Amino acid sequence: RFLFRFLGVRALKSVLKGASVYFYVTKVSLQSLYPPEENRFSTSASDVVLLPDAFAEKPKKLKIKTAYKIIAVGSLEALYKAPDVAIDAIALLEKKGLNVELTWLGDGRFKGAMIEYAKKKCILDRVKFMGNVANAEDVRTYLDFADLFVLPSRTEGLPRAIVEAMARGLPCVSTTAGGIPELLDNVSLVPVNDPKLLAEKILEF
């Protein structure tokens, strides 16, 4: 994987050298990783467009209760969204006595492996992989039913899923990967690949 990662980054930087114009979805994060050539025009803007009905009227308020629901949205075609880290965090939270359930929206070839991983961690009853959801309205229904949005990504640009969760007034916890720190304050961020700190952050929220 290290070799493919190295070759992939090198190939992307090679493409950048031939560009006349640069358009980034982040203000500074991707620019620092893939800087534009000197004397070339570059600009930035989010490519996420949300319709008015995507926005909640007010932020979600957490009510003290016996069980809490966490939601995550991301493809399972690769593991860069880190569903395994989310599973590890849920297992740690169970040991701490927090009654929490994770619902993951998204499909891909690693779905079966993640179900098996949750079974191995003895928390299959606390993790639900729902696969792909039919439409945006159904995604919003899941978001509105949740208490917290979590995305423990290993790498990112500017994730649409976080923007959509924020639009519903849902508190979000994620990592410092890519442009995520441009969306969330430091209080909502944890390092990449750290289920212990992720569990502590969820417990804090």
Side-chain angles (χ1 to χ4, degrees), residues 133-154:
V133 179
N135 53 57
E137 186 177 348
D138 288 345
V139 172
R140 290 196 292 271
T141 299
Y142 277 104
L143 292 173
D144 291 343
F145 194 59
D147 299 302
L148 183 67
F149 179 89
V150 171
L151 191 67
S153 297
R154 295 182 167 99

Side-chain angles (χ1 to χ4, degrees), residues 70-163:
I70 294 174
I71 189 165
V73 180
S75 170
L76 296 173
E77 194 59 33
L79 292 178
Y80 71 90
K81 299 290 185 181
D84 52 322
V85 174
I87 291 170
D88 287 339
I90 297 300
L92 289 170
L93 288 168
E94 185 186 41
K95 289 179 181 177
K96 290 177 180 287
L98 184 67
N99 187 357
V100 63
E101 180 184 281
L102 171 67
T103 298
W104 192 287
L105 306 184
D107 214 339
R109 60 196 176 103
F110 284 101
K111 179 181 175 182
M114 289 300 98
I115 291 172
E116 288 301 313
Y117 189 61
K119 189 185 298 183
K120 178 182 175 183
K121 290 284 182 174
C122 301
I123 57 165
L124 189 57
D125 60 327
R126 295 185 180 272
V127 181
K128 292 187 170 99
F129 289 96
M130 306 304 295
N132 289 330
V133 179
N135 53 57
E137 186 177 348
D138 288 345
V139 172
R140 290 196 292 271
T141 299
Y142 277 104
L143 292 173
D144 291 343
F145 194 59
D147 299 302
L148 183 67
F149 179 89
V150 171
L151 191 67
S153 297
R154 295 182 167 99
T155 181
E156 279 292 352
L158 197 76
R160 178 188 180 92
I162 291 181
V163 178

Side-chain angles (χ1 to χ4, degrees), residues 62-74:
L62 184 65
K63 298 177 181 177
I64 303 302
K65 47 191 179 179
T66 56
Y68 298 96
K69 294 192 177 296
I70 294 174
I71 189 165
V73 180

